[in-house]
Amino acid sequence: MAIRRSVIRGVGHYLPERVVENSHFEDTLDTSDAWIRDRTGIERRHFAAEGQTTSDLAIRAARAALDNAGVTADQIDAVVVATTTPDLTFPAVATMVQAGLEMHHGFAYDVQAVCAGFIFALSNADGLIRTGQANRVLVIGAETYSRIMDWTDRGTCVLFGDGAGAVVLEASDQPGTNTDRGILSSDLNSDGRYRDILYVDGGVSTTGTAGCLRMQGNLVFRHAVEKLAKTAHAALDKAGLTPADVDWLVPHQANSRIISATAQKMQLPMDKVVLTVADHGNTSAASIPLALSVANREGRFKAGDLIVTEAIGGGLSWGSVVLRW
Ligand code: UT7
């Protein structure tokens, strides 16, 4: 029986010009390039310029994805942006992207699931397509985490970076098997009991300020190692697939040790894993679409490849999307 699937038609990204190497932090903090590399795999990250906002990055990534897809903004029905670092409390960054693309039709909104945001947004956009509410959706992950760092906290400020990635999802009638192209399954989870191990200490209804990111890194690390392989297995299972079917793991890029532990649990060799954490750091909701775009630009994916994405972040919220390229 033919079913309507959401196929990735195009992908693109944007990284701010300013690149900051690990050594930058050695001047002001008790840290070292060696510690950051060994414990996280991060070598450098990009930081937005003064005045450059999350929507600026998102618009550039969106344009790159539209070009890659060979479609124009008039052919897009909806814009969904995953972000935790919006330009303003409201309106949604997605409406700013819509305006930036001179798109005066359709609808646009943000999804906030922190580092798992792109997984939640992709799954949500897939729902819009499957239920016929949209034929083409621009799904974007965009962040300026440099705006919520405590530059005196070596446990967090060396980890994060700014950037944006975007995909154009398009409806496609497919045979309805797990050899179809497009999104085959998703697995989404949250557990609000863990809010205190990763959060921002400010907000509209509390301090009235944006606040700074706070994290008990080693606790988050343990949850990540336990939950990411589980959610990836759950999503594969829903599609009637196993890790042996996987061509590429495109994980959230927080820490190369978390990524390799997850790959190991899934019995996937590291040459099937897309790794961008060294050059981007942790860009939260932007990390997966950035990694998809970089790997696509390098010509690593071929039509029909099975890709598993997974992420975990504040909430805690975590999940996985399985798709065929
Ligand atoms: O994207 C959202 C999800 N976030 C994550 O997935 C991040 C998960 N967590 C991590 O990636 C790791 O836990 C970190 C990279 C944040 C920390 O690595 P760790 O191996 O878990 O270190 P730790 O927190 O257990 O700290 C070990 C030591 C501590 O010193 P003492 O108490 O042993 O003297 C820290 O103070 O490392 C120290 N430390 C640092 N030392 C040098 C923490 N940050 C730094 C630093 N430079 N930047």
Side-chain angles (χ1 to χ4, degrees):
M1 190 191 66
I3 67 163
R4 199 172 151 97
R5 298 263 192 214
S6 315
V7 170
I8 294 190
R9 166 125 179 214
V11 55
H13 71 268
Y14 174 73
L15 288 158
E17 266 169 45
R18 185 177 169 218
V19 178
V20 173
E21 302 288 335
N22 289 344
S23 54
H24 164 87
F25 297 98
E26 291 175 346
D27 298 339
T28 51
L29 293 170
D30 180 14
T31 190
S32 64
D33 174 42
W35 190 95
I36 301 168
R37 272 173 203 253
D38 289 352
R39 305 309 293 164
T40 71
I42 297 166
E43 295 175 23
R44 58 192 66 81
R45 73 287 291 139
H46 293 246
F47 285 150
E50 208 182 310
Q52 200 173 26
T53 63
T54 296
S55 68
D56 293 333
L57 311 190
I59 290 166
R60 285 182 181 243
R63 289 207 178 106
L66 289 171
D67 279 354
N68 183 250
V71 301
T72 59
D74 334 334
Q75 295 169 283
I76 298 293
D77 303 314
V79 181
V80 182
V81 175
T83 189
T84 315
T85 46
D87 300 28
L88 300 171
T89 302
F90 77 78
V93 171
T95 59
M96 300 180 187
V97 173
Q98 187 195 24
L101 297 176
E102 294 181 31
M103 183 182 149
H104 308 306
H105 65 277
F107 56 99
Y109 58 91
D110 291 356
V111 166
Q112 209 266 48
V114 201
C115 295
F118 188 75
I119 297 282
F120 280 58
L122 201 57
S123 175
N124 185 261
D126 179 41
L128 295 177
I129 287 178
R130 280 174 181 259
T131 54
Q133 293 182 83
N135 285 319
R136 275 195 208 91
V137 185
L138 196 48
V139 189
I140 304 168
E143 303 281 15
T144 46
Y145 263 54
S146 61
R147 310 304 195 228
I148 53 165
M149 288 297 110
D150 172 352
W151 300 109
T152 65
D153 178 10
R154 67 177 182 173
T156 55
C157 74
V158 303
L159 305 174
F160 293 89
D162 301 337
V167 302
V168 175
L169 268 193
E170 184 177 81
S172 165
D173 287 330
Q174 296 280 316
T177 71
N178 63 16
T179 59
D180 290 354
R181 288 190 64 204
I183 295 178
L184 300 176
S185 60
S186 347
D187 180 65
L188 306 180
N189 310 269
S190 305
D191 191 338
R193 282 176 301 177
Y194 299 116
R195 61 179 265 180
D196 291 342
I197 66 172
L198 178 50
Y199 68 101
V200 167
D201 64 3
V204 179
S205 71
T206 49
T207 59
T209 61
C212 288
L213 184 143
R214 305 289 170 205
M215 177 167 71
Q216 292 181 53
N218 46 10
L219 291 184
V220 177
F221 189 99
R222 268 182 250 159
H223 282 285
V225 169
E226 178 218 319
K227 292 180 166 58
L228 289 172
K230 235 184 232 174
T231 185
H233 275 113
L236 281 166
D237 200 41
K238 287 181 192 178
L241 295 162
T242 72
D245 300 307
V246 174
D247 295 297
W248 295 102
L249 176 66
V250 184
H252 172 46
Q253 309 282 325
N255 185 316
S256 57
R257 290 187 295 135
I258 295 174
I259 294 171
S260 52
T262 305
Q264 201 174 6
K265 284 193 172 191
M266 295 178 70
Q267 295 183 301
L268 289 175
M270 286 307 283
D271 60 5
K272 289 189 171 187
V273 181
V274 175
L275 268 176
T276 52
V277 67
D279 293 330
H280 302 168
N282 183 346
T283 57
S284 191
S287 91
I288 290 174
L290 268 166
L292 282 172
S293 178
V294 167
N296 181 56
R297 200 158 70 178
E298 290 170 353
R300 296 171 81 181
F301 302 147
K302 50 182 199 318
D305 276 358
L306 188 76
I307 298 178
V308 176
T309 61
E310 41 78 345
I312 187 166
L316 294 176
S317 286
W318 67 101
S320 172
V321 169
V322 172
L323 62 97
R324 204 174 284 286
W325 196 250

